[in-house]
């Protein structure tokens, strides 16, 4: 039997009017700002009125280090949400919005897959409710105001060589990475080296995802460091008086978006910060709102647990006062095999030995997550090619780690295929056994925070950083930024900084190439290895195949 | 008594749910895609179903040459729509969407004023329904695909010096006018001179406003010339296979937006092409849809009648098969005085003589518009400082021109203040006296088309163009573009190309500086004088005052 594609399944969805989905959560329709018939924003007024209500249980879905085999983290997040509802629980899902640019490069959506999807998936992968466009506008308004300030006399004495605020565009456009602006003579300003990042890499995106309300948003925007003077003193967004107008541009974008799963369960899709130079989780506003409205909230974090879950715990939970009741680590037999040394082309053949060898990667993630004081369950996201013996090998291994692994078939069967996991997760969450604590204290020196993450999560022997970087960290401590958490930027493919080092490496070093202060978002980015903040398009961009068919449906986007 | 500001009046609006506004036009609510409770897009399916219905009467609102005194063209368009409804007619309004960028530079909205406004005005001046963001994305996708094509081997042999497709941003950012892209080495491509225009200046915007449906949109996008080879043969958007994905990005933006006036009458707000390098009218789709749903449709064209009405007639009406039944020329006593030589500071004093002297400008516009075969009425948009003698002077003058002038107080009184004009306009439209024809035939040589406009509309003696320009026009004729209409780009402040030459100058010359082919939009841009396609911010941008107040309302935007 030929399987249906994700888009074919999504098109057959029996969507309910979004007001009905909101009604199920107790949101009156006057507080749902509709965008079409199947998307809505939840009003800030309604959210403010939830204050004081009890929170539901927060469940984090994370994963092993990603491999080209695919893990299905979003699919499992959606599936688990549907599963919890199917067993009679009131559950909501919180995931990130998709970036538009990459959709025109390589295929791939961000709305789950198979029978565990969020709809309308086409719109979620295009303009959606315009949040990313608003972020682009707010970011670039600040950029324009910086050059405009210099143009009209530069009263703030901005050192034109030290403008650190770039411009953004939600597009894969390598030509914009490194540009010279303000050419063409007097009327166009002072030429200087500049550049563009993709919108998801904007600090404005990270701020929107961490801000608790509009007031906090404006304060954080004001805190952004845009440039330095010749004496290296910082110039803030607030000094340019851009924070008010940026807040106006983001007012609507700050309201979380409500959509639904294929099974008509509520999903909040809001914010989408890069998981490398930012923290990679959906917005705090969406998560805290969902926790007031549902008994169980299933959310996810970008990349593998060493990056995504670590930042979720140490940045998002710390800052927002959240604590997960249970963590689900997604693994697949195929990914275990790849971690065990099997090439992608050979994944179709049974290889229990390779599965067992690859399980070391999973084992370390389980241990790491447990070190935050939270209980762990493993979800084996089932592929048709998996054999019983391979699945059993994963289950047996996880048992040796003091956890349990549950086979899930939500991709093929929707909630029906994930009820066992849902039941177990609900039991664990209800048992209140979680004793969450971040990995390091706020007052630990910045370099020691980096060492803590490197040694306890990556299991590295040492952190390598030259004097310039250590001095920079000390300067920030002296300037009052010492209690910020660390936002690690490294490859997602390995515990180490070498993307080819699979499994569970030890004895390695973590070289720090660069550190950056995100004073508005409130973290220090520590860059280990290359970091790409503006992707390019491939030789044959998927844009060439994207078009409307005769029925007016979108083809080629997925 | 202190007058209320536009925003104060707008905030007091008793808006009806947009479904109710749609219902009044016979649009079922399933064909209204809501954006919040007060904005909606009309589905393409519904629009397609209107085919074959009879058209209502089209009424164009245009104006004398703008002066710093202000004319109130949009205000009069909105007021006249309300006035027609108030006298029992079924009327709709069609205006353009506002550009976001300029709102952060100088104050000023695009939704009318006083008691003749369209609401929600804040959102109309910010992201609205995201149409401009979609245009920005579609435009820049094509830009990225051009550089990406060159990067991956340049199979089409694009001459990197002859890339004519720039990038766009909806922001006043002079630093982006002239840039060098693709710096930074091999991974970032081949450095070249490039630049950004503001989004409203994009050919994609002009195309969206002239396309009749999605199929026509995609064809026109494909027709865009993006670059030339060394042998000067053109490379089209279609050659890069970008037209399909651009159409997908614009699918929703092609659907006209429905909002309402303060008096709850329907207003279509859709498209906003620059009135200098484009034709400056709202979308053909919105106008033709409104004509199927209402008995009277009031629309406007950018700048004064010499530019806006001329292009409305010769480009929009020609291309869309439209014909206005009546044209309203808006004039003010203050603007007549300025045309008569009075300085802005002295406008408050009665000066009948100056009014009479300034009327020459109005008279010529009346004559010009009549030359298209359409009847003309003058609307005197009343200001509190106008004296009875001054108003009478305008009325008397207009009578000598074989037309009539009617005093309108819609700014202060809404529809109540403009019933006389509404009644007269309806009478004229119902009398079917219009005998519309464009000014020149499709098959007239391009240079003769330019001469026709310059001599018959601007009343110039001659058109000055060097050999290079005349050769270029002949080349385009040979390439099959000879039957395109002309899109003039010149100062809006004078009939001549000298912005200081007010009144009704004669004997002047029209120097053509440059000609550009917009093969997708389907016109040839003829540039006379400087043309600014990317504005800058002023010394103190209004962005510095824009912010949310404690009630969460937007301050400083208007």
């Amino acid at each position: 039997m030929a399987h249906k594609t994700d888009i074919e399944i999504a098109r057959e969805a029996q969507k309910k009017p979004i007001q009905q989905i909101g009604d199920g959560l107790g949101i009156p329709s006057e507080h749902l700002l509709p965008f079409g018939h199947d998307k809505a924003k939840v009003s800030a007024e309604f959210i403010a009125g939830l204050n004081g209500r009890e929170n539901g249980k927060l469940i984090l879905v994370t994963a092993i280090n990603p491999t080209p085999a695919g893990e299905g983290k979003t699919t499992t997040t959606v599936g688990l949400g549907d599963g919890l509802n199917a067993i009679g629980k009131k559950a909501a899902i919180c995931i990130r919005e998709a970036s538009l640019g990459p959709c025109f490069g390589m295929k791939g959506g961000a709305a789950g897959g198979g029978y565990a999807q969020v709809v309308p998936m086409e719109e979620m992968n295009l303009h959606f409710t315009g949040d990313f466009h608003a972020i682009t506008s707010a970011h670039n308004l600040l950029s324009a105001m910086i050059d405009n300030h210099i143009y009209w006399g530069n009263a703030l004495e901005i050192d034109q060589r030290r403008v650190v605020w770039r411009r953004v565009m939600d597009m894969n456009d390598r030509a914009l990475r490194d540009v010279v602006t303000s050419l063409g003579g007097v009327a166009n300003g002072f030429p200087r080296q500049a550049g563009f990042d993709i919108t998801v890499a904007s600090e404005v995106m990270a701020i929107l995802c961490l801000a608790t309300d509009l007031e906090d948003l404006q304060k954080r925007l004001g805190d952004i460091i845009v440039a330095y003077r010749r004496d290296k003193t910082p110039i803030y967004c607030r000094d340019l008086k851009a924070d008010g107008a940026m807040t106006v541009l983001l007012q609507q974008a700050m309201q979380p978006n409500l959509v639904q799963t294929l099974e008509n369960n509520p999903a909040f899709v809001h914010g989408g910060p890069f998981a490398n130079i930012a923290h990679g989780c959906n917005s705090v506003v969406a998560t805290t709102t969902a926790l007031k409205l549902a008994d169980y909230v299933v959310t996810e974090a970008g990349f593998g647990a060493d990056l995504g879950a670590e930042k979720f715990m140490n940045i998002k939970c710390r800052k927002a006062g959240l604590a997960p009741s249970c963590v689900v680590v997604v693994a697949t037999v195929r990914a275990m095999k790849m971690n065990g040394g099997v090439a992608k082309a050979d994944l179709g053949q049974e290889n229990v030995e390779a599965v067992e060898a690859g399980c070391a990667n999973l084992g370390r993630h389980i241990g790491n997550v447990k070190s935050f004081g939270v209980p762990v369950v493993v979800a084996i996201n089932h592929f048709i090619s998996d054999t019983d013996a391979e699945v059993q090998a994963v289950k047996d291994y996880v048992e040796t780690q003091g956890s349990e692994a549950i086979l899930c078939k939500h991709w093929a069967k929707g909630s029906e295929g994930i009820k066992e996991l849902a039941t177990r997760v609900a039991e664990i969450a209800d048992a209140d056994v979680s004793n969450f604590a971040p990995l390091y204290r706020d007052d630990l020196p910045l370099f020691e925070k980096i060492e803590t993450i490197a040694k306890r999560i990556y299991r590295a022997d040492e952190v390598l950083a030259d004097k310039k970087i250590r001095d920079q960290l000390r300067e920030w401590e002296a300037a009052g930024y010492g209690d910020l958490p660390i936002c690690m930027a490294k490859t997602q493919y390995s515990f180490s900084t070498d993307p080819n080092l699979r499994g569970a490496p030890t004895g390695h070093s973590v070289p720090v190439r660069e550190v950056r202060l995100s004073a508005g978002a409130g973290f220090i980015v520590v860059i280990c290895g290359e970091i790409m903040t503006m992707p390019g398009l491939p030789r044959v961009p998927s844009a060439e195949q994207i078009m409307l068919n005769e029925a007016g449906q979108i083809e080629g986007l997925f």
Side-chain angles (χ1 to χ4, degrees), chain A:
Chain A
M1 176 191 96
H3 277 280
K4 287 182 184 163
T5 63
D6 288 354
I7 182 72
E8 284 167 350
I9 294 169
R11 281 187 195 143
E12 289 171 6
Q14 301 292 315
K15 282 180 288 185
K16 290 186 181 167
I18 197 63
Q19 289 76 6
Q20 213 170 312
I21 305 298
D23 192 50
L25 290 173
I27 311 173
S29 97
E30 67 266 28
H31 284 296
L32 275 182
L33 208 70
F35 281 72
H37 302 291
D38 49 11
K39 306 179 294 295
K41 284 187 166 286
V42 183
S43 84
E45 196 188 337
F46 175 77
I47 291 172
L50 297 174
N51 236 324
R53 274 208 210 176
E54 212 176 322
N55 280 331
K57 310 284 186 184
L58 182 59
I59 296 144
L60 174 70
V61 176
T62 181
I64 54 172
N65 290 98
T67 69
E71 289 66 45
K73 200 168 50 200
T74 305
T75 304
T76 303
T77 304
V78 176
L80 179 55
D82 281 340
L84 284 163
N85 279 289
I87 61 166
K89 307 290 184 185
K90 189 176 180 184
I93 292 155
C94 284
I95 59 175
R96 285 179 292 169
E97 298 179 56
S99 180
L100 193 152
C103 290
F104 296 101
M106 305 279 201
K107 277 171 188 253
Y115 287 90
Q117 292 187 58
V118 172
V119 283
M121 73 175 290
E122 297 98 322
E123 292 178 49
M124 285 179 56
N125 287 297
L126 291 168
H127 307 294
F128 199 38
T129 59
D131 293 343
F132 286 17
H133 291 316
I135 289 166
T136 303
S137 291
H139 183 118
N140 290 332
L141 173 62
L142 178 53
S143 311
M145 288 176 78
I146 295 168
D147 280 304
N148 191 59
H149 179 86
I150 297 170
Y151 179 86
W152 287 106
N154 199 10
L156 289 169
E157 298 182 349
I158 295 170
D159 182 345
Q160 292 159 50
R161 304 164 306 174
R162 291 194 172 93
V163 176
V164 292
W165 192 251
R166 292 156 56 90
R167 286 175 175 81
V168 295
M169 192 182 275
D170 197 0
M171 193 58 65
N172 287 19
D173 192 348
R174 67 172 69 74
L176 294 179
R177 284 174 190 155
D178 199 346
V179 304
V180 170
T181 56
S182 302
L183 295 168
V186 173
N188 297 351
F190 298 85
R192 66 175 182 84
Q193 193 101 1
F196 284 72
D197 298 323
I198 190 161
T199 299
V200 283
S202 166
E203 189 178 344
V204 176
M205 175 71 86
I207 288 173
L208 183 118
C209 290
L210 287 169
T212 51
D213 56 23
L214 286 167
E215 197 182 336
D216 185 37
L217 178 80
Q218 179 159 353
K219 192 220 160 268
R220 287 169 178 270
L221 293 170
D223 287 342
I224 292 171
I225 294 174
V226 299
Y228 295 88
R229 296 185 183 83
R230 285 188 79 109
D231 65 6
K232 297 198 187 163
T233 53
I235 292 159
Y236 298 93
C237 168
R238 186 175 295 113
D239 298 329
L240 289 157
K241 299 183 186 140
D243 49 326
M246 290 169 77
T247 304
V248 166
L249 280 167
L250 295 168
Q251 183 178 22
Q252 213 168 64
M254 262 297 280
Q255 301 175 355
N257 307 297
L258 180 66
V259 290
Q260 63 192 292
T261 67
L262 292 177
E263 300 190 10
N264 310 122
N265 294 312
F268 292 92
V269 180
H270 194 221
F274 242 33
N276 45 17
I277 72 158
H279 59 295
C281 311
N282 76 300
S283 79
V284 164
V285 169
T287 305
T288 54
T289 301
L291 283 168
K292 299 291 185 196
L293 300 174
D295 297 328
Y296 303 86
V297 173
V298 187
T299 189
E300 63 166 339
F303 298 147
D306 54 326
L307 269 177
E310 185 270 308
K311 295 187 198 182
F312 175 84
M313 310 280 195
N314 282 322
I315 300 176
K316 180 171 174 175
C317 288
R318 177 195 305 262
K319 292 291 172 186
L322 299 170
S325 298
C326 178
V327 176
V328 175
V329 177
V330 180
T332 62
V333 164
R334 289 157 59 88
M336 291 297 97
K337 276 196 247 188
M338 283 199 95
N339 266 294
V342 175
K344 197 177 175 189
D346 301 328
L347 287 175
Q349 291 169 290
E350 182 178 80
N351 191 336
V352 175
E353 207 171 300
V355 169
E356 284 168 349
C359 275
N361 184 271
L362 172 58
R364 182 175 291 175
H365 286 297
I366 295 171
N368 282 347
V369 173
K370 281 185 176 173
S371 72
F372 287 90
V374 293
V376 174
V377 192
V378 172
I380 306 174
N381 182 16
H382 183 251
F383 275 68
I384 295 155
S385 58
D386 299 351
T387 70
D388 291 348
E390 289 173 328
V391 170
Q392 194 56 49
V394 179
K395 287 189 173 184
D396 291 345
Y397 173 81
V398 172
E399 216 180 302
T400 68
Q401 304 299 303
S403 277
E404 63 188 304
I406 296 170
L407 188 65
C408 302
K409 299 188 172 179
H410 47 287
W411 183 86
K413 299 181 176 178
S415 62
E416 203 44 48
I418 198 170
K419 279 187 174 174
E420 190 187 344
L421 179 73
T423 304
R424 190 72 193 102
V425 163
E427 278 170 13
I428 294 171
D430 292 343
D432 276 329
V433 292
S434 178
N435 190 18
F436 171 74
L439 199 63
Y440 50 80
R441 300 189 322 267
D442 285 354
D443 62 359
L444 201 67
L446 292 171
F447 192 74
E448 288 180 40
K449 288 177 183 168
I450 302 170
E451 284 186 322
T452 303
I453 295 167
K455 292 181 178 171
R456 295 207 21 213
I457 302 292
Y458 308 160
R459 314 291 172 98
D461 278 358
E462 55 177 354
V463 174
L464 304 175
D466 62 23
K467 185 171 173 302
K468 200 176 138 192
I469 284 171
R470 289 171 192 249
D471 287 349
Q472 177 65 80
L473 293 172
R474 272 190 290 267
E475 274 173 37
W476 287 334
E477 283 166 351
Y481 294 110
D483 59 356
L484 293 186
I486 300 298
C487 186
M488 296 298 287
K490 72 156 186 65
T491 177
Q492 65 266 39
Y493 297 113
S494 170
F495 277 104
S496 75
T497 55
D498 173 1
N500 299 310
L501 213 54
R502 297 225 167 101
T506 52
H508 52 100
S509 306
V510 174
V512 176
R513 199 169 59 94
E514 188 189 338
V515 286
R516 294 183 194 171
L517 172 59
S518 291
F523 50 65
I524 283 161
V525 182
V526 173
I527 298 170
C528 313
E530 290 303 314
I531 185 163
M532 178 68 83
T533 53
M534 173 54 97
L537 291 170
R539 181 181 289 271
V540 182
S542 63
E544 294 186 7
Q545 280 87 47
I546 295 173
M547 58 193 70
L548 295 177
N549 64 23
E550 285 182 11
Q553 294 167 323
I554 299 167
E555 297 286 352
L557 190 53
F558 315 97

